[in-house]
Amino acid sequence: ASLANVEHRNQEATVYVGNLEPSCNEDLLTELFVQVGRVQSVYMPKDKLTNQHNGYGFVEFSDIPSAEYAMMVLNNIKLFGRPIRVSKSSLPDESPTRNVGANLFIGNLDPETVTDQLLYDTFVVFGSFARTPHLAKDDTTGHSKGYGFVSYTNFQSSDAAIECMNNQYLGNRIITVQYALKKDAEGRPTTERHGTRAERMLAAAAEQQQQLKSNHMPRSSPMNSSVNNTSMFAPSGMPPPPPPPPPPPPVGMPPPPPPPPIPNAPAVALPPPPPPIPPP
């Protein structure tokens, strides 16, 4: 499949799959995602020179519910030891995360001991990646050239990585961690590095704009609705409802009536006691 073909497919039923291990391929993605729905196509963009995929791909399902289910159950599961990211497709730009310029150059890497997996595991602790970390490799042999690149979604993560990892041991060598050189329109390196004040200001402005959009999103509130909800919500300040009436008496014979009151008896005059007997 080509990117042009993917763009004409059902993007609502297509998911982005990121943070893929280099040995992952389209057949493996198909085998994984067919467990949650009918897969129509799988596309993994590849480098034109190395013919290696770029660490992400796209899976199109036959229906939208299957794509939503895949995002719910397969996001962050581990594939070859890596937690993959499954989210809504963002074609045609192919990148779900905007590149803010927090791109690092990792130098003096030991080609024998430092792999793509080790590079990932070392730098993932500082934040989320905008692109999957990768080593620069020889086009002919496929061996590491001794350096690699790590791109974060924000400058807080890249600054922390430089502070903690620059001039530290990774494998058997002391590595260098610094901002990567920018590239011109033709893809050639320039003399200016990423991490400039202008890039940071643009990233901060974009983040603030995103927060403003989130804060102004309409929220559903029953109290602000135009529907009359007086039957569902009692006005504030009203007294509590009265207690429920007592339960009815149990079924059975009625209790006997109380005894009638005893009438007052008339007073009876008693005779006086006899006088005492005098002694002899």
Side-chain angles (χ1 to χ4, degrees):
S2 65
L3 179 59
N5 293 333
V6 173
E7 290 177 350
H8 292 287
R9 291 174 181 171
N10 185 3
Q11 296 305 313
E12 293 298 322
T14 302
V15 296
Y16 165 89
V17 187
N19 197 32
L20 297 176
E21 205 268 347
S23 61
C24 184
N25 55 38
E26 294 180 351
D27 292 338
L28 183 60
L29 282 187
T30 302
E31 183 179 351
L32 174 63
F33 281 84
V34 76
Q35 301 180 45
V36 297
R38 176 182 289 182
V39 175
Q40 293 291 101
S41 64
V42 176
Y43 170 59
M44 299 179 69
K46 296 181 180 179
D47 186 273
K48 295 180 180 179
L49 297 177
T50 64
N51 201 33
Q52 297 291 324
H53 68 76
N54 297 322
Y56 63 91
F58 302 93
V59 178
E60 181 195 14
F61 289 94
S62 60
D63 54 77
I64 298 177
S66 295
E68 295 175 344
Y69 184 64
M71 290 185 288
M72 181 174 61
V73 301
L74 295 181
N75 187 41
N76 287 327
I77 71 165
K78 287 190 175 182
L79 186 62
F80 292 113
R82 287 188 180 182
I84 64 174
R85 185 168 68 249
V86 182
S87 61
K88 291 290 288 184
S89 171
S90 59
L91 284 174
D93 61 358
E94 298 188 16
S95 177
T97 306
R98 186 176 59 87
N99 183 12
V100 298
N103 305 328
L104 301 181
F105 171 86
I106 318 298
N108 198 35
L109 298 174
D110 185 355
E112 300 298 328
T113 60
V114 178
T115 62
D116 289 295
Q117 182 67 51
L118 179 59
L119 191 67
Y120 176 93
D121 293 339
T122 302
F123 287 90
V124 71
V125 297
F126 301 105
S128 57
F129 296 129
R131 291 191 299 270
T132 304
H134 65 280
L135 297 172
K137 296 180 180 179
D138 185 87
D139 296 337
T140 304
T141 64
H143 295 163
S144 170
K145 293 183 178 181
Y147 62 90
F149 300 93
V150 176
S151 298
Y152 289 102
T153 58
N154 58 78
F155 285 102
Q156 291 85 351
S157 299
S158 56
D159 289 341
I162 293 175
E163 181 179 357
C164 296
M165 293 303 301
N166 188 38
N167 293 326
Q168 299 297 319
Y169 273 97
L170 182 61
N172 299 322
R173 295 184 181 181
I174 296 178
I175 64 173
T176 59
V177 182
Q178 58 185 327
Y179 279 102
L181 294 174
K182 293 183 178 181
K183 295 183 179 180
D184 57 20
E186 298 180 359
R188 295 174 300 188
T190 66
T191 58
E192 184 181 13
R193 294 188 180 275
H194 286 286
T196 61
R197 183 169 180 266
E199 285 181 325
R200 294 172 184 271
M201 291 178 63
L202 289 174
E207 183 178 358
Q208 184 178 12
Q209 186 68 21
Q210 184 65 31
Q211 291 178 353
L212 290 175
K213 289 182 180 180
S214 300
N215 293 337
H216 286 82
M217 288 290 290
R219 292 179 172 87
S220 175
S221 174
M223 299 304 295
N224 295 333
S225 174
S226 58
V227 181
N228 184 4
N229 291 325
T230 55
S231 62
M232 297 175 60
F233 301 94
S236 59
M238 293 293 291
V251 179
M253 295 297 294
I262 300 176
N264 293 330
V268 179
L270 296 176
I277 302 174

